[in-house]
């Protein structure tokens, strides 16, 4: 137990093989970085479900517009812009409660946006992969030929949104506190 400087005692662990960084300890409470494998797992489950549903009811679906996945591109672009702003503020240590700084609550909201967008991207990726898997298996259907470009556009949009969301989440990380190494004490 060590005094954190604010009169509170905190439990510290010694540096591990990768150093004493926040988020390394699986028992540490708080948000963890989004894992790509978790997102890919969600996408795989959704892809199988969508493939099964489309296999049963493709004939009843209306034709897909070419720009059906356009909103994914818009969201990805917005998140890239937000990531540049957050990254510059965090890098210059402009996080605080004054008007010119990035408010901590705003940073938390941006992080929530990034995490939810990553999940949305995984869901969209699963939908478009499941649909595309069905469409590519249909060799003699003109409807499938018409819908394939829409599915490809949506698939690329889902990947772009996922990449933008993960990068935005990465930009929300705080730099390692230089006093972390000096505060470490015996593991409790």
């Amino acid at each position: 137990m060590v005094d954190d400087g604010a009169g509170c005692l905190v439990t510290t662990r010694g540096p591990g093989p990768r150093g004493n960084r926040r988020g390394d300890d699986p028992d540490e409470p708080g948000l963890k970085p989004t894992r790509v494998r978790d997102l890919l797992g969600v996408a795989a489950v959704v892809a199988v479900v969508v493939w099964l549903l489309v296999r049963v009811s493709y004939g009843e679906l209306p034709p897909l517009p070419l720009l059906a996945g356009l909103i994914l591109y818009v969201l990805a672009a917005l998140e890239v812009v937000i990531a540049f702003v957050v990254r510059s503020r965090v890098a210059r240590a402009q996080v605080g409660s004054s008007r010119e700084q990035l408010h901590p609550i705003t940073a938390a909201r941006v992080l929530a946006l990034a995490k939810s967008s990553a999940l949305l991207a995984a869901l969209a990726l699963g939908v478009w992969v499941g649909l595309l898997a069905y469409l590519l298996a249909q060799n003699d259907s003109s409807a499938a030929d018409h819908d394939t470009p829409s599915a490809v556009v949506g698939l690329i949009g889902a990947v772009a949104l996922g990449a933008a969301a993960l990068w935005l989440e990465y930009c929300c990380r705080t730099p390692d506190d230089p006093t972390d190494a000096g505060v470490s004490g015996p593991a409790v």
Side-chain angles (χ1 to χ4, degrees), residues 5 9 11-12 15 23 42 50 54 57 83 109 112 118 122-123 126 131 146 154 158 171 176 185-186:
L9 293 178
T11 303
T12 59
V42 168
V50 167
V54 170
S57 62
R109 289 177 180 158
L123 292 170
L131 180 62
H146 176 269
C171 290
D176 289 333

Side-chain angles (χ1 to χ4, degrees), residues 23-43:
D24 283 346
D25 187 4
D27 297 330
E28 183 180 323
L31 290 174
K32 306 285 187 274
T34 303
R35 293 186 295 198
V36 175
R37 91 173 159 205
D38 293 343
L39 296 175
L40 291 176
V42 168

Side-chain angles (χ1 to χ4, degrees), residues 113-183:
L113 171 69
K115 287 187 151 303
S116 61
S117 294
L119 184 57
L120 172 64
L123 292 170
L125 180 67
V127 167
W128 292 115
V129 165
L131 180 62
L132 197 57
Y134 176 81
L135 294 175
L136 292 177
Q138 304 302 312
N139 295 332
D140 57 347
S141 172
S142 64
D145 292 340
H146 176 269
D147 289 344
T148 300
S150 302
V152 170
V153 168
L155 177 75
I156 295 169
V159 170
L161 177 60
L166 290 174
W167 188 57
L168 177 57
E169 182 180 337
Y170 178 79
C171 290
C172 289
R173 293 181 182 180
T174 58
D176 289 333
D177 187 8
T179 61
D180 279 352
V183 177

